[in-house]
Amino acid sequence: MPQNKSRPTGRKVMLMATCLSDVFFADMAKATVEVLEAVGCEVIFPEAQTCCGQPAFNSGDFPAAEKVARYTAEVFAGDLPVIVPSGSCAAMHFHGTDLLFEDKTDTEKVENLAGRTWELFDFLVNGLGVKQWSGTLNKKIALHHSCHTRGSDTGAAMETLLSSIEGVELVEVGTPEQCCGFGGTFSVTFPHLSGEIGQVKLDSVLAQSPDLLVSADMSCLMHMGGLAEKQDKEIETRHAVQVLRDVGLNQ
Amino acid sequence: MSKSVQPIDAFARDLPRETRDAVLSSVMTRTAGRKAKLEADYENPDDLRRLAGKVKQHTLEHLDEYLEQAEAALIKNGATVHFASTAEDAREQVLAILKENGAKRVVKSKSMVTEEIHLNDFLQKNGVECVETDLGEFIIQIDGDTPSHIVQPIIHKNRRQVAQSFEELGLGDYNDDPQTITRRARKHLREKYLQSDAGMTGANFVSAESGRLVIVTNEGNARFGMAANGLHIALVGIEKVVPRDKDLGLLLNLLGRSATAQQLTVYTQFINGPRSKSQPSGPEQMHVIFLDNGRSRVLKSKERDILRCIRCGACLNVCPVYRQTSGHGYRAVYGGPVGAVLSPLLAGDDFSKYADLPKASSLCGACNEVCPVNIPIPELLLRLRSRANQEGIKSAGSPPMAPFAKLATSPKLWQTAMTASKAMNHLPITMMPVRPLQEWLKIRTLPKWSGGEFRRWMREREGEPRMDTNKHE
Amino acid sequence: MSEAQDIVMGAVKQALSGLRGKTSLPDYESEFLFSVRHKESEQDGWTEFGENFSAVSGKAMNEVGDLVEFLKEGGFEKGYCDPELKEQVGEVLVAAGLQVSYAFDHQRVDDYVFGITRASGVIAESGTVILNDEDTVDRLAALAPWVHVAVLTDQKKVFANIPQAIENLGNSSNVIWVTGPSKTADIEGILIEGVHGPGVQICLRIGGEN
Ligand code: SF4
């Protein structure tokens, strides 16, 4: 299903910080708030939010996923754009719910949320028209296009903003089709496979000797960074929004 | 949560490095080749994939009509048409046709569907010699192995292993030069062709409009099998039908490029019946056996889209899991993403035997992106996961999700849990409560827990003017 | 109807019964399938064919003399020629000192180093030679020898592209498209030409304008 092109935009937004921000990535979530505010947004953070339901969905427990998805739709009810700093969670709303609710009735709220959800970079560039990020960063950046942003506008949007920063050199990572191996519970249930898959990707990244490995999904970075750290390999990982924040908020 | 290692995970762990690397480098080359070829040839190759997907989906949804049409056309062209409901039916029918004609020696060109019904062993047991003529399949046969890729059956073998097998078969002294190996196979198999009584093939497509069977090979083996003897038997899955001859052009354009980065496979045969009257070589009889063997069950399911598959192998090549396991990791005839969907479905009542395969995926979607008939494989994997869940199949090793759902719909509990998990930072790996997580941590680290921190920060700055939080850790 | 057929057709019908929202059969223009290269090509069909044929390791020739030279240089001295091509090709080869027989003996297929048969057409877009049962004097003669020469005499049979060639499949019970020499990459992905069929695939056009 194509993403709804008529998604709402505007500078009053709700933030879906993602469950990973709750446990590991507080700084990325803060950066998201700061960057959104730097471009003039008022950010509303519904306190009752938890998770998009993807872990249950991907495990095949559709009833559990449905509960969480319906709950999330309630939490984010309204007509404001909902911004997610994760290509993967955004895709859960665009595509996942199609399948999850295909035979269900009473799907209005869920569909409504899907129609208002934006991945952060897609929103910045295509929703708000921010195409320039002023500041300087003399670094070689390897961009990891996370799998759940396939076919979406996130990758190009991220490239637009990062390459507009003075001094940034974006390098191509080989095996662009290769997944980082994370896949949520996949990495727990199939730890060897997942590790070897990640290694292939990590090798492609390291071959470019970048200063930073950047992505629109924290989970991929967590996996590749975790593999690298265990092997004492130097690679600094950053969510793309952290890069923007670090470069400067006086936009 | 399942404590044992999943079979495909163990397979990947134990696969010899040498084999893994052979598979990996081969599929990487193929993936790059496919992409380069399609992008050089089409401004928007995805349009073509989507169109082909629609044509095949339409055919499946009207398969009864198209099968009848194909049958009528084939009969008009002078072919004999049979139907087989199960693998056993198909084997018996092949044997009956061979017996009727006193055929004792069969040359076979590569066909996944004959693998599926384990035809070779059966014929052998019934006194019929059945020789694989595709080079890769021939090597599989002499090694008593099974193919590990749809298009490149011996992707898991290197030249030294092949050279050894050839030496043992008496095809000359050890020589691992691929050129020499190929020449020796040419000589050996040529004799087999010339002594054969029948040629067996599958079919890539059947046009309902004209009854034309399309069979493609690069080596020319199917052509040889249909030039050196008088009997042709084609075993064809019922899903191979397409509506019109023009659709053959569409699918051929995609098949060659997706499978081997060729615009067209070298030998593309359009077979309309037994040989022409003026032609001295080739089959006087043509038999087509349409095989169900579980396909109608798949057709009934919501995963029917998988029957669009044209067996190009592109999804295997691009799949991160296949890249670590080869086809053998999937324990069935069809490996890779297509196999992870098809094997549990074709298994029928034995669904649970393969219910772990749909879970062995990060759902990265690379397969869907390359599939020439645009099969939404990740979606089908999810459907099968859901089915395993509904049927209460435990073997598939997913953690139970009800506690998660409870947590994720109770904001207070959620926040407490996320903060409390801070304790994890202080536990040594071996004391981790969940064993699979220990496995995880053997080769990866986890970031520092920062549970609750973001929410606190959000609350604290509530009401504060914008832009004054520029400085942070 | 056989019993097996009833069972299979019954199962298929049952599987589809009640299926709603069926996909309709899409229609599309032939042009949709043309490669960018073909769309932009301004060459005549035969020239385009020649380029694409050589891209798949085929050899397109315009003169019997070129064929003579090629066969002599390669040491391909003995072969078969379709009697229909005796005057135009066979005799020229014989005059140049090559051994040509006009009968194809199935008992000694390996004695023919080259096989010369008629082509039923070519496809410009893909560099493909078309052989059908009616024009091919013997399937084996076009397949067993190391060098296969397909001779195109009918200038009208240069099809621009795959859809056009499909429209012109005609009534032959067997049409085969040959896009280069027989090949494999089964062993370590290494390309080897000449597996079961010809290692050298030639298309010779005679009677055309140059
Ligand atoms: S599922 Fe698609 S990509 Fe995979 S083998 Fe079949 S046609 Fe090819």
Side-chain angles (χ1 to χ4, degrees):
Chain A
M1 191 125 309
Q3 291 157 42
N4 186 352
K5 288 290 172 202
S6 59
R7 282 173 296 171
T9 173
R11 281 181 156 77
K12 187 169 179 183
V13 302
M14 283 197 265
L15 170 66
M16 182 183 288
T18 81
C19 57
L20 276 178
S21 300
D22 259 336
V23 292
F24 291 129
F25 306 119
D27 185 63
M28 181 276 288
K30 292 178 198 170
T32 305
V33 174
E34 292 171 326
V35 162
L36 281 168
E37 288 178 350
V39 297
C41 287
E42 181 190 337
V43 180
I44 294 164
F45 179 76
E47 265 281 346
Q49 64 180 276
T50 55
C51 172
C52 64
Q54 196 175 174
F57 179 63
N58 286 358
S59 301
D61 190 342
F62 286 13
E66 185 187 341
K67 262 185 220 141
V68 181
R70 284 194 189 277
Y71 171 80
T72 298
E74 288 290 345
V75 171
F76 289 90
D79 51 12
L80 295 177
V82 175
I83 313 304
V84 197
S86 157
S88 182
C89 305
M92 175 66 200
H93 293 292
F94 302 139
H95 308 289
T97 47
D98 273 354
L99 173 57
L100 191 54
F101 290 91
E102 71 175 348
D103 296 325
K104 307 281 176 194
T105 51
D106 190 19
T107 56
E108 219 171 284
K109 283 184 184 147
V110 180
E111 276 169 37
N112 180 280
L113 174 57
R116 285 185 287 123
T117 304
W118 292 85
E119 182 283 323
L120 172 64
F121 277 77
D122 188 12
F123 181 68
L124 289 172
V125 174
N126 302 309
L128 297 181
V130 179
K131 301 209 162 110
Q132 223 9 84
W133 201 258
S134 41
T136 308
L137 182 70
N138 289 313
K139 295 219 152 135
K140 195 161 138 185
I141 293 181
L143 258 193
H144 169 65
H145 292 285
S146 54
C147 293
H148 289 168
T149 61
R150 281 176 210 274
S152 81
D153 296 326
T154 294
M158 209 168 40
E159 271 174 34
T160 303
L161 278 176
L162 292 176
S163 61
S164 77
I165 299 169
E166 213 181 289
V168 163
E169 181 198 348
L170 290 183
V171 290
E172 287 258 343
V173 179
T175 60
E177 74 283 354
Q178 177 83 8
C179 167
C180 76
F182 177 61
T185 52
F186 169 73
S187 63
V188 181
T189 316
F190 303 90
H192 304 106
L193 264 175
S194 150
E196 292 291 349
I197 293 170
Q199 192 64 46
V200 172
K201 188 85 221 187
L202 184 62
D203 290 344
S204 303
V205 170
L206 294 174
Q208 300 294 338
S209 349
D211 301 315
L212 283 179
L213 171 61
V214 170
S215 168
D217 269 288
M218 224 47 226
S219 51
C220 310
L221 296 174
M222 171 174 86
H223 195 230
M224 285 187 281
L227 282 169
E229 190 173 78
K230 200 78 176 186
Q231 300 162 26
D232 290 322
K233 289 187 177 138
E234 291 274 324
I235 181 79
E236 221 180 304
T237 58
R238 280 274 196 296
H239 191 289
V241 76
Q242 291 173 297
V243 176
L244 297 192
R245 190 258 332 262
D246 294 349
V247 163
L249 293 170
N250 296 315
Q251 294 300 320
Chain B
M1 195 173 294
S2 162
K3 291 219 190 310
S4 59
V5 183
Q6 292 290 316
I8 194 170
D9 203 42
F11 189 93
R13 184 192 61 202
D14 301 337
L15 191 70
R17 272 284 115 159
E18 197 190 20
T19 310
R20 204 280 311 248
D21 291 347
V23 172
L24 197 59
S25 81
S26 183
V27 299
M28 295 277 193
T29 312
R30 281 177 185 260
T31 298
R34 172 207 158 275
K35 190 166 188 286
K37 180 76 183 154
L38 271 162
E39 285 177 1
D41 286 357
Y42 292 103
E43 261 160 45
N44 202 347
D46 284 345
D47 290 347
L48 218 60
R49 295 191 310 113
R50 285 197 199 96
L51 175 66
K54 275 202 190 115
V55 170
K56 286 286 287 190
Q57 187 72 12
H58 162 85
T59 319
L60 292 173
E61 290 170 358
H62 301 78
L63 193 59
D64 46 350
E65 296 160 36
Y66 287 121
L67 266 177
E68 278 164 10
Q69 211 184 322
E71 185 208 10
L74 276 161
I75 292 172
K76 198 170 135 248
N77 297 340
T80 313
V81 181
H82 314 255
F83 286 80
S85 169
T86 63
E88 199 192 338
D89 283 359
R91 289 191 296 258
E92 292 295 344
Q93 290 189 22
V94 172
L95 186 63
I97 299 167
L98 293 172
K99 275 193 174 155
E100 245 168 60
N101 290 279
K104 287 267 170 217
R105 285 164 299 193
V106 178
V107 282
K108 192 172 136 230
S109 71
K110 193 172 146 2
S111 135
M112 291 308 290
V113 74
T114 55
E115 294 284 338
E116 187 184 316
I117 67 162
H118 306 290
L119 185 68
N120 291 3
D121 284 350
F122 172 80
L123 290 182
Q124 225 82 42
K125 279 194 195 102
N126 285 280
V128 177
E129 183 195 54
C130 183
V131 181
E132 292 285 354
T133 57
D134 171 84
L135 179 58
E137 291 286 347
F138 174 66
I139 292 160
I140 292 285
Q141 188 178 33
I142 62 179
D143 284 354
D145 202 349
T146 54
S148 61
H149 190 283
I150 298 178
V151 174
Q152 198 184 346
I154 54 166
I155 195 168
H156 59 296
K157 289 184 197 286
N158 60 39
R159 60 175 88 186
R160 293 178 298 286
Q161 294 163 309
V162 178
Q164 250 166 30
S165 305
F166 268 49
E167 192 186 10
E168 279 161 30
L169 193 71
L171 298 183
D173 295 339
Y174 179 93
N175 188 323
D176 63 14
D177 167 39
Q179 175 104 15
T180 307
I181 293 172
T182 310
R183 293 291 171 269
R184 287 176 175 177
R186 177 183 172 98
K187 190 159 172 286
H188 177 77
L189 289 169
R190 183 157 288 201
E191 276 166 25
K192 296 288 178 191
Y193 287 124
L194 295 171
Q195 294 160 0
S196 66
D197 309 311
M200 277 281 331
T201 68
N204 296 88
F205 311 106
V206 182
S207 160
E209 179 184 352
S210 61
R212 281 198 170 89
L213 250 66
V214 178
I215 300 172
V216 308
T217 73
N218 270 318
E219 297 180 7
N221 50 322
R223 174 66 163 181
F224 226 126
M226 272 179 269
N229 60 63
L231 176 63
H232 174 208
I233 306 174
L235 183 66
V236 184
I238 51 174
E239 81 283 17
K240 296 287 170 193
V241 182
V242 299
R244 304 161 294 201
D245 280 7
K246 72 181 276 192
D247 301 319
L248 300 174
L250 169 65
L251 291 162
L252 283 168
N253 263 303
L254 281 162
L255 177 59
R257 288 180 173 96
S258 305
T260 45
Q262 293 167 282
Q263 174 165 13
L264 284 176
T265 314
V266 174
Y267 293 96
T268 304
Q269 295 197 78
F270 300 83
I271 302 160
N272 217 359
R275 74 178 187 218
S276 317
K277 289 204 182 62
S278 62
Q279 179 55 242
S281 295
E284 288 147 358
Q285 281 182 56
M286 176 186 181
H287 294 265
V288 178
I289 305 173
F290 282 112
L291 176 71
D292 183 336
N293 199 30
R295 285 162 174 76
S296 57
R297 206 181 308 116
V298 183
L299 190 64
K300 197 178 162 76
S301 75
K302 282 200 168 164
E303 296 84 29
R304 70 177 67 84
D305 304 25
I306 199 65
L307 294 177
R308 291 185 213 163
C309 174
I310 61 171
R311 307 279 188 268
C312 74
C315 62
L316 281 65
N317 298 338
V318 82
C319 175
V321 174
Y322 177 89
R323 287 174 172 185
Q324 300 298 332
T325 58
S326 83
H328 289 161
Y330 294 79
R331 316 192 299 277
V333 175
Y334 302 102
V338 56
V341 176
L342 206 48
S343 303
L345 286 168
L346 288 180
D349 295 339
D350 282 338
F351 175 77
S352 65
K353 227 172 109 185
Y354 297 107
D356 59 316
L357 294 180
K359 304 228 173 178
S361 161
S362 66
L363 300 174
C364 76
C367 45
N368 175 227
E369 209 170 61
V370 298
C371 177
V373 283
N374 198 28
I375 302 176
I377 294 177
E379 182 195 309
L380 303 183
L381 293 171
L382 280 161
R383 286 182 189 280
L384 292 172
R385 290 179 186 192
S386 167
R387 178 173 158 195
N389 195 272
Q390 276 167 26
E391 294 181 10
I393 296 163
K394 293 275 177 291
S395 63
S398 290
M401 281 294 155
F404 161 79
K406 177 87 190 69
L407 205 61
T409 51
S410 325
K412 286 266 146 52
L413 282 179
W414 175 268
Q415 283 171 42
T416 317
M418 294 306 131
T419 315
S421 300
K422 242 182 168 157
M424 266 176 81
N425 272 347
H426 307 299
L427 288 176
I429 289 180
T430 44
M431 280 175 63
M432 287 274 178
V434 193
R435 203 178 150 267
L437 198 60
Q438 286 177 36
E439 288 295 328
W440 207 92
L441 287 164
K442 271 186 194 158
I443 56 167
R444 316 159 179 79
T445 60
L446 267 181
K448 278 227 171 345
W449 208 271
S450 63
E453 189 185 324
F454 171 65
R455 289 177 191 252
R456 253 190 331 272
W457 179 84
M458 257 335 248
R459 271 182 231 124
E460 278 164 17
R461 65 200 295 282
E462 212 93 300
E464 290 173 16
R466 208 154 62 73
M467 298 298 297
D468 71 351
T469 47
N470 213 342
K471 310 276 175 296
H472 34 84
E473 71 265 76
Chain C
M1 256 203 238
S2 70
E3 197 191 333
Q5 179 169 13
D6 286 345
I7 297 173
V8 173
M9 288 306 296
V12 169
K13 284 197 159 82
Q14 202 257 332
L16 295 172
S17 70
L19 185 65
R20 257 172 255 294
K22 290 189 185 184
T23 313
S24 56
L25 179 61
D27 212 352
Y28 48 93
E29 298 297 322
S30 296
E31 208 170 307
F32 194 74
L33 309 185
F34 298 169
S35 67
V36 176
R37 214 169 355 98
H38 176 58
K39 265 194 245 176
E40 288 171 359
S41 174
E42 283 167 5
Q43 294 154 325
D44 67 280
W46 174 255
T47 310
E48 190 186 345
F49 162 79
E51 271 181 19
N52 290 324
F53 193 51
S54 74
V56 293
S57 312
K59 294 178 192 359
M61 296 178 181
N62 288 305
E63 304 276 355
V64 187
D66 295 344
L67 178 63
V68 171
E69 200 178 311
F70 177 83
L71 293 175
K72 292 199 95 167
E73 251 172 42
F76 308 117
E77 292 182 344
K78 227 170 122 184
Y80 165 82
C81 178
D82 179 347
E84 295 258 342
L85 297 165
K86 188 175 175 186
E87 262 172 48
Q88 287 159 294
V89 184
E91 282 173 358
V92 184
L93 267 53
V94 171
L98 295 159
Q99 288 181 51
V100 177
S101 76
Y102 298 102
F104 191 78
D105 183 352
H106 283 194
Q107 302 312 311
R108 28 181 290 265
V109 294
D110 288 331
D111 288 356
Y112 309 100
V113 182
F114 58 83
I116 302 171
T117 68
R118 275 171 293 151
S120 313
V122 298
I123 309 174
E125 178 193 13
S126 53
T128 299
V129 175
I130 304 172
L131 312 175
N132 71 27
D133 251 10
E134 286 69 24
D135 297 333
T136 306
V137 58
D138 191 320
R139 289 186 194 179
L140 275 178
L143 190 65
W146 181 255
V147 180
H148 175 232
V149 184
V151 181
L152 183 73
T153 51
D154 185 347
Q155 312 304 320
K156 290 194 297 295
K157 295 289 176 64
V158 178
F159 301 109
N161 46 58
I162 292 171
Q164 216 185 82
I166 288 202
E167 277 168 33
N168 286 284
L169 278 171
N171 293 319
S172 175
S173 67
N174 192 297
V175 179
I176 183 161
W177 291 357
V178 183
T179 311
S182 154
K183 68 180 192 186
T184 182
D186 272 348
I187 301 168
E188 295 184 7
I190 296 161
L191 181 72
I192 308 284
E193 291 179 347
V195 192
H196 304 287
V200 177
Q201 182 65 55
I202 295 170
C203 184
L204 167 67
R205 180 176 73 157
I206 48 182
E209 309 141 28
N210 284 314

